[in-house]
Amino acid sequence: GAGVSQSPSNKVTEKGKDVELRCDPISGHTALYWYRQRLGQGLEFLIYFQGNSAPDKSGLPSDRFSAERTGESVSTLTIQRTQQEDSAVYLCASKPGGLTYEQYFGPGTRLTVT
Amino acid sequence: AQTVTQSQPEMSVQEAETVTLSCTYDTSESDYYLFWYKQPPSRQMILVIRQEAYKQQNATENRFSVNFQKAAKSFSLKISDSQLGDAAMYFCAYRRLQGGSEKLVFGKGTKLTVNP
């Protein structure tokens, strides 16, 4: 079946603009994650959605970052008033609920803020 | 706080040889999962191997195996018979469970080059 998809693949924006990144998880996966990967670094957790539970937003770096998820489907990550330090690859992952452990990653969105 | 440390920013290996990538982690938990992920230039994160902390036996997946030393909090990845397609960034990760939430904590990665 289809894997996790993300759009756009690449995004170049000017400092101060808002951007919206989209993630389509694997159908039926109740858990969804966003991670940020800065150049030469590992992945940093941003936010976790699980079904209808309140999301874990503890990894969002500032109030310019927000994310939404519609039920158990699409998620959008919004960055307002982008800064150059927001330049990174943003990766989305999903997994089935329950005791499963493997997260399935999308190909990421490379965001460049000029 | 849980942290994951990969002390080798870069490693290289000759094709068909064996290479070991190091990872140490810090946790106060007794039961947890550890993972190695591969990230080729396509950016796609691919799960290579996992280890449950309660299992004493080291995990093996074909040419990939781990040396899990729980007391030392060490989790190294051994790649045998290295192939050109193994060239990628490799990330060690710890699965953290807290208050109904779940996340992966990653190291900074090791870039593996495979020389023909």
Side-chain angles (χ1 to χ4, degrees), chain B residues 54-100:
Chain B
Y54 67 87
K55 289 186 177 180
Q56 294 185 343
Q57 187 173 7
N58 289 322
T60 299
E61 289 288 343
N62 301 313
R63 298 182 295 107
F64 299 87
S65 61
V66 299
N67 183 4
F68 174 50
Q69 301 288 329
K70 190 174 183 178
K73 296 180 182 176
S74 171
F75 181 60
S76 60
L77 174 69
K78 185 171 81 171
I79 306 174
S80 303
D81 185 25
S82 297
Q83 300 177 359
L84 295 177
D86 295 334
M89 287 291 296
Y90 285 82
F91 293 95
C92 178
Y94 172 100
R95 182 195 188 208
R96 179 180 178 186
L97 301 175
Q98 184 180 39

mmCIF file of all heavy atoms in Angstrom, chain B residues 54-100:
data_model
loop_
_atom_site.group_PDB
_atom_site.id
_atom_site.type_symbol
_atom_site.label_atom_id
_atom_site.label_comp_id
_atom_site.label_asym_id
_atom_site.label_seq_id
_atom_site.Cartn_x
_atom_site.Cartn_y
_atom_site.Cartn_z
ATOM 1 N N TYR B 54 14.462 -5.714 27.347
ATOM 2 C CA TYR B 54 14.281 -6.860 28.233
ATOM 3 C C TYR B 54 14.849 -8.141 27.627
ATOM 4 O O TYR B 54 14.976 -9.155 28.305
ATOM 5 C CB TYR B 54 12.804 -7.050 28.570
ATOM 6 C CG TYR B 54 11.927 -7.468 27.410
ATOM 7 C CD1 TYR B 54 11.755 -8.803 27.077
ATOM 8 C CD2 TYR B 54 11.265 -6.515 26.644
ATOM 9 C CE1 TYR B 54 10.955 -9.190 26.018
ATOM 10 C CE2 TYR B 54 10.461 -6.887 25.576
ATOM 11 C CZ TYR B 54 10.301 -8.223 25.272
ATOM 12 O OH TYR B 54 9.504 -8.586 24.217
ATOM 13 N N LYS B 55 15.180 -8.094 26.350
ATOM 14 C CA LYS B 55 15.740 -9.271 25.693
ATOM 15 C C LYS B 55 17.263 -9.254 25.803
ATOM 16 O O LYS B 55 17.909 -8.260 25.446
ATOM 17 C CB LYS B 55 15.334 -9.307 24.217
ATOM 18 C CG LYS B 55 13.863 -9.617 23.997
ATOM 19 C CD LYS B 55 13.575 -9.787 22.511
ATOM 20 C CE LYS B 55 12.111 -10.178 22.298
ATOM 21 N NZ LYS B 55 11.792 -10.344 20.846
ATOM 22 N N GLN B 56 17.822 -10.321 26.302
ATOM 23 C CA GLN B 56 19.274 -10.402 26.425
ATOM 24 C C GLN B 56 19.949 -10.726 25.102
ATOM 25 O O GLN B 56 21.095 -10.372 24.873
ATOM 26 C CB GLN B 56 19.650 -11.435 27.477
ATOM 27 C CG GLN B 56 19.209 -11.039 28.897
ATOM 28 C CD GLN B 56 19.693 -12.024 29.938
ATOM 29 O OE1 GLN B 56 20.078 -13.138 29.621
ATOM 30 N NE2 GLN B 56 19.678 -11.598 31.191
ATOM 31 N N GLN B 57 19.210 -11.408 24.237
ATOM 32 C CA GLN B 57 19.791 -11.800 22.957
ATOM 33 C C GLN B 57 19.883 -10.606 22.035
ATOM 34 O O GLN B 57 18.923 -9.841 21.879
ATOM 35 C CB GLN B 57 18.931 -12.887 22.322
ATOM 36 C CG GLN B 57 19.522 -13.483 21.067
ATOM 37 C CD GLN B 57 18.731 -14.665 20.553
ATOM 38 O OE1 GLN B 57 17.656 -14.971 21.058
ATOM 39 N NE2 GLN B 57 19.263 -15.334 19.546
ATOM 40 N N ASN B 58 21.043 -10.470 21.398
ATOM 41 C CA ASN B 58 21.239 -9.388 20.456
ATOM 42 C C ASN B 58 20.416 -9.615 19.188
ATOM 43 O O ASN B 58 20.381 -10.716 18.645
ATOM 44 C CB ASN B 58 22.715 -9.267 20.081
ATOM 45 C CG ASN B 58 23.544 -8.735 21.220
ATOM 46 O OD1 ASN B 58 23.106 -7.860 21.971
ATOM 47 N ND2 ASN B 58 24.748 -9.255 21.380
ATOM 48 N N ALA B 59 19.785 -8.543 18.695
ATOM 49 C CA ALA B 59 18.979 -8.639 17.491
ATOM 50 C C ALA B 59 19.853 -8.788 16.251
ATOM 51 O O ALA B 59 20.971 -8.254 16.190
ATOM 52 C CB ALA B 59 18.098 -7.400 17.351
ATOM 53 N N THR B 60 19.331 -9.511 15.281
ATOM 54 C CA THR B 60 20.023 -9.726 14.004
ATOM 55 C C THR B 60 19.015 -9.646 12.877
ATOM 56 O O THR B 60 17.913 -10.181 12.995
ATOM 57 C CB THR B 60 20.706 -11.106 13.976
ATOM 58 O OG1 THR B 60 21.666 -11.164 15.024
ATOM 59 C CG2 THR B 60 21.404 -11.337 12.648
ATOM 60 N N GLU B 61 19.397 -8.947 11.810
ATOM 61 C CA GLU B 61 18.593 -8.861 10.595
ATOM 62 C C GLU B 61 19.541 -8.998 9.409
ATOM 63 O O GLU B 61 20.155 -8.038 8.978
ATOM 64 C CB GLU B 61 17.850 -7.517 10.509
ATOM 65 C CG GLU B 61 16.721 -7.341 11.473
ATOM 66 C CD GLU B 61 15.488 -8.169 11.152
ATOM 67 O OE1 GLU B 61 15.368 -8.650 9.995
ATOM 68 O OE2 GLU B 61 14.638 -8.326 12.048
ATOM 69 N N ASN B 62 19.652 -10.217 8.924
ATOM 70 C CA ASN B 62 20.519 -10.496 7.780
ATOM 71 C C ASN B 62 21.950 -10.034 8.073
ATOM 72 O O ASN B 62 22.585 -10.547 8.985
ATOM 73 C CB ASN B 62 19.945 -9.848 6.519
ATOM 74 C CG ASN B 62 18.551 -10.350 6.201
ATOM 75 O OD1 ASN B 62 18.307 -11.546 6.219
ATOM 76 N ND2 ASN B 62 17.620 -9.432 5.936
ATOM 77 N N ARG B 63 22.471 -9.068 7.318
ATOM 78 C CA ARG B 63 23.862 -8.632 7.505
ATOM 79 C C ARG B 63 24.035 -7.648 8.661
ATOM 80 O O ARG B 63 25.154 -7.236 8.958
ATOM 81 C CB ARG B 63 24.364 -7.981 6.209
ATOM 82 C CG ARG B 63 24.393 -8.910 5.016
ATOM 83 C CD ARG B 63 24.952 -8.214 3.791
ATOM 84 N NE ARG B 63 24.104 -7.107 3.329
ATOM 85 C CZ ARG B 63 24.409 -5.829 3.470
ATOM 86 N NH1 ARG B 63 25.529 -5.460 4.059
ATOM 87 N NH2 ARG B 63 23.588 -4.893 2.999
ATOM 88 N N PHE B 64 22.929 -7.261 9.283
ATOM 89 C CA PHE B 64 22.965 -6.263 10.349
ATOM 90 C C PHE B 64 22.748 -6.939 11.697
ATOM 91 O O PHE B 64 21.842 -7.756 11.856
ATOM 92 C CB PHE B 64 21.871 -5.210 10.126
ATOM 93 C CG PHE B 64 22.027 -4.440 8.837
ATOM 94 C CD1 PHE B 64 21.482 -4.924 7.652
ATOM 95 C CD2 PHE B 64 22.718 -3.247 8.809
ATOM 96 C CE1 PHE B 64 21.631 -4.229 6.463
ATOM 97 C CE2 PHE B 64 22.865 -2.534 7.624
ATOM 98 C CZ PHE B 64 22.319 -3.025 6.450
ATOM 99 N N SER B 65 23.566 -6.600 12.646
ATOM 100 C CA SER B 65 23.402 -7.125 13.998
ATOM 101 C C SER B 65 23.794 -6.043 14.988
ATOM 102 O O SER B 65 24.465 -5.072 14.640
ATOM 103 C CB SER B 65 24.239 -8.384 14.219
ATOM 104 O OG SER B 65 25.615 -8.083 14.047
ATOM 105 N N VAL B 66 23.333 -6.213 16.217
ATOM 106 C CA VAL B 66 23.670 -5.237 17.255
ATOM 107 C C VAL B 66 24.420 -5.926 18.380
ATOM 108 O O VAL B 66 24.322 -7.128 18.581
ATOM 109 C CB VAL B 66 22.413 -4.526 17.816
ATOM 110 C CG1 VAL B 66 21.689 -3.774 16.713
ATOM 111 C CG2 VAL B 66 21.492 -5.503 18.525
ATOM 112 N N ASN B 67 25.189 -5.110 19.088
ATOM 113 C CA ASN B 67 25.817 -5.524 20.342
ATOM 114 C C ASN B 67 25.205 -4.651 21.426
ATOM 115 O O ASN B 67 25.561 -3.470 21.560
ATOM 116 C CB ASN B 67 27.327 -5.350 20.280
ATOM 117 C CG ASN B 67 28.009 -5.846 21.547
ATOM 118 O OD1 ASN B 67 27.363 -6.391 22.444
ATOM 119 N ND2 ASN B 67 29.311 -5.652 21.623
ATOM 120 N N PHE B 68 24.258 -5.204 22.140
ATOM 121 C CA PHE B 68 23.508 -4.472 23.154
ATOM 122 C C PHE B 68 24.092 -4.784 24.524
ATOM 123 O O PHE B 68 24.060 -5.928 24.978
ATOM 124 C CB PHE B 68 22.030 -4.866 23.089
ATOM 125 C CG PHE B 68 21.175 -4.288 24.176
ATOM 126 C CD1 PHE B 68 21.204 -2.930 24.461
ATOM 127 C CD2 PHE B 68 20.324 -5.104 24.912
ATOM 128 C CE1 PHE B 68 20.398 -2.396 25.466
ATOM 129 C CE2 PHE B 68 19.510 -4.571 25.914
ATOM 130 C CZ PHE B 68 19.559 -3.223 26.193
ATOM 131 N N GLN B 69 24.634 -3.773 25.157
ATOM 132 C CA GLN B 69 25.217 -3.903 26.489
ATOM 133 C C GLN B 69 24.395 -3.019 27.431
ATOM 134 O O GLN B 69 24.657 -1.816 27.554
ATOM 135 C CB GLN B 69 26.687 -3.461 26.476
ATOM 136 C CG GLN B 69 27.570 -4.234 25.531
ATOM 137 C CD GLN B 69 27.831 -5.643 26.004
ATOM 138 O OE1 GLN B 69 27.864 -5.908 27.204
ATOM 139 N NE2 GLN B 69 27.994 -6.560 25.054
ATOM 140 N N LYS B 70 23.397 -3.625 28.071
ATOM 141 C CA LYS B 70 22.440 -2.836 28.854
ATOM 142 C C LYS B 70 23.104 -2.109 30.016
ATOM 143 O O LYS B 70 22.827 -0.948 30.280
ATOM 144 C CB LYS B 70 21.306 -3.731 29.357
ATOM 145 C CG LYS B 70 20.150 -2.955 29.973
ATOM 146 C CD LYS B 70 18.990 -3.870 30.313
ATOM 147 C CE LYS B 70 17.800 -3.076 30.851
ATOM 148 N NZ LYS B 70 16.640 -3.949 31.155
ATOM 149 N N ALA B 71 23.973 -2.794 30.731
ATOM 150 C CA ALA B 71 24.606 -2.170 31.897
ATOM 151 C C ALA B 71 25.462 -0.981 31.475
ATOM 152 O O ALA B 71 25.513 0.047 32.153
ATOM 153 C CB ALA B 71 25.452 -3.186 32.644
ATOM 154 N N ALA B 72 26.109 -1.103 30.342
ATOM 155 C CA ALA B 72 26.967 -0.030 29.845
ATOM 156 C C ALA B 72 26.179 0.994 29.038
ATOM 157 O O ALA B 72 26.726 2.029 28.637
ATOM 158 C CB ALA B 72 28.087 -0.605 28.991
ATOM 159 N N LYS B 73 24.895 0.724 28.784
ATOM 160 C CA LYS B 73 24.036 1.591 27.972
ATOM 161 C C LYS B 73 24.685 1.845 26.612
ATOM 162 O O LYS B 73 24.834 3.000 26.163
ATOM 163 C CB LYS B 73 23.723 2.881 28.714
ATOM 164 C CG LYS B 73 22.910 2.625 29.974
ATOM 165 C CD LYS B 73 22.579 3.897 30.746
ATOM 166 C CE LYS B 73 21.804 3.542 32.000
ATOM 167 N NZ LYS B 73 21.538 4.721 32.842
ATOM 168 N N SER B 74 25.053 0.752 25.990
ATOM 169 C CA SER B 74 25.715 0.804 24.697
ATOM 170 C C SER B 74 24.931 -0.034 23.688
ATOM 171 O O SER B 74 24.427 -1.120 24.039
ATOM 172 C CB SER B 74 27.146 0.282 24.832
ATOM 173 O OG SER B 74 27.751 0.136 23.585
ATOM 174 N N PHE B 75 24.848 0.448 22.460
ATOM 175 C CA PHE B 75 24.017 -0.208 21.446
ATOM 176 C C PHE B 75 24.697 0.003 20.098
ATOM 177 O O PHE B 75 24.359 0.933 19.360
ATOM 178 C CB PHE B 75 22.623 0.424 21.481
ATOM 179 C CG PHE B 75 21.632 -0.160 20.509
ATOM 180 C CD1 PHE B 75 21.281 -1.490 20.554
ATOM 181 C CD2 PHE B 75 21.008 0.665 19.578
ATOM 182 C CE1 PHE B 75 20.348 -2.012 19.667
ATOM 183 C CE2 PHE B 75 20.070 0.158 18.689
ATOM 184 C CZ PHE B 75 19.740 -1.185 18.740
ATOM 185 N N SER B 76 25.638 -0.840 19.745
ATOM 186 C CA SER B 76 26.384 -0.649 18.506
ATOM 187 C C SER B 76 25.790 -1.495 17.386
ATOM 188 O O SER B 76 25.184 -2.545 17.624
ATOM 189 C CB SER B 76 27.861 -0.985 18.707
ATOM 190 O OG SER B 76 28.010 -2.324 19.100
ATOM 191 N N LEU B 77 25.973 -1.021 16.169
ATOM 192 C CA LEU B 77 25.465 -1.687 14.970
ATOM 193 C C LEU B 77 26.635 -2.238 14.172
ATOM 194 O O LEU B 77 27.563 -1.494 13.842
ATOM 195 C CB LEU B 77 24.677 -0.702 14.097
ATOM 196 C CG LEU B 77 24.198 -1.236 12.740
ATOM 197 C CD1 LEU B 77 23.099 -2.283 12.926
ATOM 198 C CD2 LEU B 77 23.695 -0.079 11.857
ATOM 199 N N LYS B 78 26.574 -3.516 13.853
ATOM 200 C CA LYS B 78 27.591 -4.135 13.020
ATOM 201 C C LYS B 78 26.994 -4.463 11.658
ATOM 202 O O LYS B 78 25.940 -5.106 11.582
ATOM 203 C CB LYS B 78 28.141 -5.408 13.664
ATOM 204 C CG LYS B 78 29.301 -6.013 12.870
ATOM 205 C CD LYS B 78 29.990 -7.140 13.615
ATOM 206 C CE LYS B 78 29.247 -8.443 13.484
ATOM 207 N NZ LYS B 78 30.029 -9.581 14.032
ATOM 208 N N ILE B 79 27.675 -4.002 10.623
ATOM 209 C CA ILE B 79 27.261 -4.307 9.257
ATOM 210 C C ILE B 79 28.321 -5.227 8.650
ATOM 211 O O ILE B 79 29.490 -4.843 8.547
ATOM 212 C CB ILE B 79 27.115 -3.033 8.398
ATOM 213 C CG1 ILE B 79 26.183 -2.028 9.077
ATOM 214 C CG2 ILE B 79 26.602 -3.385 7.005
ATOM 215 C CD1 ILE B 79 26.102 -0.676 8.374
ATOM 216 N N SER B 80 27.911 -6.414 8.305
ATOM 217 C CA SER B 80 28.826 -7.402 7.725
ATOM 218 C C SER B 80 28.697 -7.392 6.206
ATOM 219 O O SER B 80 27.646 -7.039 5.661
ATOM 220 C CB SER B 80 28.496 -8.796 8.263
ATOM 221 O OG SER B 80 28.553 -8.822 9.669
ATOM 222 N N ASP B 81 29.790 -7.780 5.534
ATOM 223 C CA ASP B 81 29.763 -7.880 4.067
ATOM 224 C C ASP B 81 29.170 -6.586 3.471
ATOM 225 O O ASP B 81 28.191 -6.619 2.717
ATOM 226 C CB ASP B 81 28.939 -9.097 3.641
ATOM 227 C CG ASP B 81 28.969 -9.349 2.155
ATOM 228 O OD1 ASP B 81 29.933 -8.932 1.489
ATOM 229 O OD2 ASP B 81 27.986 -9.931 1.643
ATOM 230 N N SER B 82 29.759 -5.460 3.828
ATOM 231 C CA SER B 82 29.229 -4.161 3.428
ATOM 232 C C SER B 82 29.044 -4.061 1.919
ATOM 233 O O SER B 82 29.881 -4.529 1.132
ATOM 234 C CB SER B 82 30.173 -3.046 3.891
ATOM 235 O OG SER B 82 30.261 -3.022 5.296
ATOM 236 N N GLN B 83 27.950 -3.422 1.543
ATOM 237 C CA GLN B 83 27.619 -3.229 0.135
ATOM 238 C C GLN B 83 27.533 -1.739 -0.167
ATOM 239 O O GLN B 83 27.300 -0.926 0.735
ATOM 240 C CB GLN B 83 26.292 -3.925 -0.175
ATOM 241 C CG GLN B 83 26.327 -5.417 0.097
ATOM 242 C CD GLN B 83 24.982 -6.097 -0.132
ATOM 243 O OE1 GLN B 83 23.992 -5.457 -0.487
ATOM 244 N NE2 GLN B 83 24.962 -7.407 0.084
ATOM 245 N N LEU B 84 27.702 -1.401 -1.442
ATOM 246 C CA LEU B 84 27.655 0.006 -1.831
ATOM 247 C C LEU B 84 26.338 0.651 -1.418
ATOM 248 O O LEU B 84 26.294 1.832 -1.063
ATOM 249 C CB LEU B 84 27.872 0.139 -3.340
ATOM 250 C CG LEU B 84 29.253 -0.290 -3.862
ATOM 251 C CD1 LEU B 84 29.314 -0.186 -5.378
ATOM 252 C CD2 LEU B 84 30.369 0.532 -3.228
ATOM 253 N N GLY B 85 25.265 -0.130 -1.441
ATOM 254 C CA GLY B 85 23.954 0.396 -1.067
ATOM 255 C C GLY B 85 23.807 0.672 0.417
ATOM 256 O O GLY B 85 22.808 1.253 0.831
ATOM 257 N N ASP B 86 24.787 0.271 1.203
ATOM 258 C CA ASP B 86 24.730 0.557 2.637
ATOM 259 C C ASP B 86 25.173 1.988 2.942
ATOM 260 O O ASP B 86 24.988 2.466 4.067
ATOM 261 C CB ASP B 86 25.624 -0.412 3.417
ATOM 262 C CG ASP B 86 25.153 -1.850 3.338
ATOM 263 O OD1 ASP B 86 23.937 -2.067 3.133
ATOM 264 O OD2 ASP B 86 25.992 -2.751 3.474
ATOM 265 N N ALA B 87 25.756 2.656 1.978
ATOM 266 C CA ALA B 87 26.212 4.029 2.195
ATOM 267 C C ALA B 87 25.018 4.925 2.515
ATOM 268 O O ALA B 87 24.042 4.976 1.761
ATOM 269 C CB ALA B 87 26.942 4.549 0.965
ATOM 270 N N ALA B 88 25.084 5.595 3.649
ATOM 271 C CA ALA B 88 23.959 6.420 4.123
ATOM 272 C C ALA B 88 24.329 7.033 5.456
ATOM 273 O O ALA B 88 25.399 6.759 6.011
ATOM 274 C CB ALA B 88 22.705 5.568 4.295
ATOM 275 N N MET B 89 23.434 7.863 5.985
ATOM 276 C CA MET B 89 23.500 8.291 7.378
ATOM 277 C C MET B 89 22.799 7.228 8.218
ATOM 278 O O MET B 89 21.737 6.726 7.842
ATOM 279 C CB MET B 89 22.794 9.634 7.571
ATOM 280 C CG MET B 89 23.541 10.821 7.025
ATOM 281 S SD MET B 89 25.040 11.202 7.929
ATOM 282 C CE MET B 89 24.393 11.654 9.543
ATOM 283 N N TYR B 90 23.399 6.912 9.349
ATOM 284 C CA TYR B 90 22.801 5.953 10.268
ATOM 285 C C TYR B 90 22.526 6.651 11.601
ATOM 286 O O TYR B 90 23.405 7.287 12.176
ATOM 287 C CB TYR B 90 23.709 4.743 10.482
ATOM 288 C CG TYR B 90 23.702 3.815 9.292
ATOM 289 C CD1 TYR B 90 24.499 4.081 8.178
ATOM 290 C CD2 TYR B 90 22.873 2.696 9.260
ATOM 291 C CE1 TYR B 90 24.475 3.247 7.067
ATOM 292 C CE2 TYR B 90 22.853 1.853 8.161
ATOM 293 C CZ TYR B 90 23.647 2.138 7.070
ATOM 294 O OH TYR B 90 23.621 1.314 5.970
ATOM 295 N N PHE B 91 21.296 6.503 12.064
ATOM 296 C CA PHE B 91 20.882 7.135 13.303
ATOM 297 C C PHE B 91 20.471 6.088 14.328
ATOM 298 O O PHE B 91 19.699 5.170 14.021
ATOM 299 C CB PHE B 91 19.699 8.078 13.064
ATOM 300 C CG PHE B 91 20.029 9.276 12.238
ATOM 301 C CD1 PHE B 91 19.808 9.280 10.869
ATOM 302 C CD2 PHE B 91 20.564 10.413 12.823
ATOM 303 C CE1 PHE B 91 20.118 10.392 10.096
ATOM 304 C CE2 PHE B 91 20.871 11.530 12.065
ATOM 305 C CZ PHE B 91 20.654 11.514 10.693
ATOM 306 N N CYS B 92 20.972 6.248 15.510
ATOM 307 C CA CYS B 92 20.564 5.458 16.664
ATOM 308 C C CYS B 92 19.421 6.196 17.336
ATOM 309 O O CYS B 92 19.437 7.444 17.417
ATOM 310 C CB CYS B 92 21.761 5.318 17.603
ATOM 311 S SG CYS B 92 21.471 4.416 19.121
ATOM 312 N N ALA B 93 18.414 5.480 17.805
ATOM 313 C CA ALA B 93 17.258 6.145 18.414
ATOM 314 C C ALA B 93 16.738 5.353 19.598
ATOM 315 O O ALA B 93 16.808 4.125 19.629
ATOM 316 C CB ALA B 93 16.147 6.333 17.383
ATOM 317 N N TYR B 94 16.200 6.084 20.540
ATOM 318 C CA TYR B 94 15.624 5.532 21.774
ATOM 319 C C TYR B 94 14.145 5.881 21.783
ATOM 320 O O TYR B 94 13.776 7.027 21.499
ATOM 321 C CB TYR B 94 16.343 6.169 22.964
ATOM 322 C CG TYR B 94 15.756 5.870 24.313
ATOM 323 C CD1 TYR B 94 16.320 4.903 25.120
ATOM 324 C CD2 TYR B 94 14.668 6.580 24.799
ATOM 325 C CE1 TYR B 94 15.800 4.629 26.369
ATOM 326 C CE2 TYR B 94 14.134 6.308 26.035
ATOM 327 C CZ TYR B 94 14.699 5.341 26.829
ATOM 328 O OH TYR B 94 14.187 5.073 28.056
ATOM 329 N N ARG B 95 13.312 4.892 22.082
ATOM 330 C CA ARG B 95 11.870 5.142 22.141
ATOM 331 C C ARG B 95 11.496 5.543 23.552
ATOM 332 O O ARG B 95 11.649 4.763 24.498
ATOM 333 C CB ARG B 95 11.103 3.898 21.759
ATOM 334 C CG ARG B 95 9.587 4.048 21.745
ATOM 335 C CD ARG B 95 8.962 2.692 21.708
ATOM 336 N NE ARG B 95 7.524 2.726 21.518
ATOM 337 C CZ ARG B 95 6.704 1.770 21.966
ATOM 338 N NH1 ARG B 95 7.190 0.737 22.615
ATOM 339 N NH2 ARG B 95 5.423 1.845 21.754
ATOM 340 N N ARG B 96 11.018 6.778 23.687
ATOM 341 C CA ARG B 96 10.666 7.308 24.995
ATOM 342 C C ARG B 96 9.152 7.321 25.160
ATOM 343 O O ARG B 96 8.433 7.875 24.321
ATOM 344 C CB ARG B 96 11.217 8.720 25.144
ATOM 345 C CG ARG B 96 10.884 9.373 26.471
ATOM 346 C CD ARG B 96 11.463 10.781 26.550
ATOM 347 N NE ARG B 96 11.100 11.411 27.803
ATOM 348 C CZ ARG B 96 11.365 12.674 28.100
ATOM 349 N NH1 ARG B 96 11.999 13.431 27.231
ATOM 350 N NH2 ARG B 96 10.997 13.173 29.258
ATOM 351 N N LEU B 97 8.684 6.720 26.240
ATOM 352 C CA LEU B 97 7.271 6.736 26.603
ATOM 353 C C LEU B 97 7.111 7.588 27.840
ATOM 354 O O LEU B 97 7.837 7.417 28.806
ATOM 355 C CB LEU B 97 6.766 5.317 26.887
ATOM 356 C CG LEU B 97 6.880 4.301 25.759
ATOM 357 C CD1 LEU B 97 6.458 2.926 26.239
ATOM 358 C CD2 LEU B 97 6.030 4.731 24.579
ATOM 359 N N GLN B 98 6.174 8.515 27.808
ATOM 360 C CA GLN B 98 5.976 9.374 28.969
ATOM 361 C C GLN B 98 4.570 9.918 28.973
ATOM 362 O O GLN B 98 4.149 10.594 28.026
ATOM 363 C CB GLN B 98 6.980 10.525 28.956
ATOM 364 C CG GLN B 98 6.919 11.425 30.179
ATOM 365 C CD GLN B 98 7.935 12.564 30.106
ATOM 366 O OE1 GLN B 98 8.151 13.131 29.044
ATOM 367 N NE2 GLN B 98 8.551 12.877 31.219
ATOM 368 N N GLY B 99 3.829 9.622 30.024
ATOM 369 C CA GLY B 99 2.513 10.212 30.217
ATOM 370 C C GLY B 99 1.574 10.043 29.044
ATOM 371 O O GLY B 99 0.860 10.967 28.676
ATOM 372 N N GLY B 100 1.546 8.878 28.450
ATOM 373 C CA GLY B 100 0.653 8.635 27.328
ATOM 374 C C GLY B 100 1.214 9.086 25.997
ATOM 375 O O GLY B 100 0.601 8.862 24.953
#
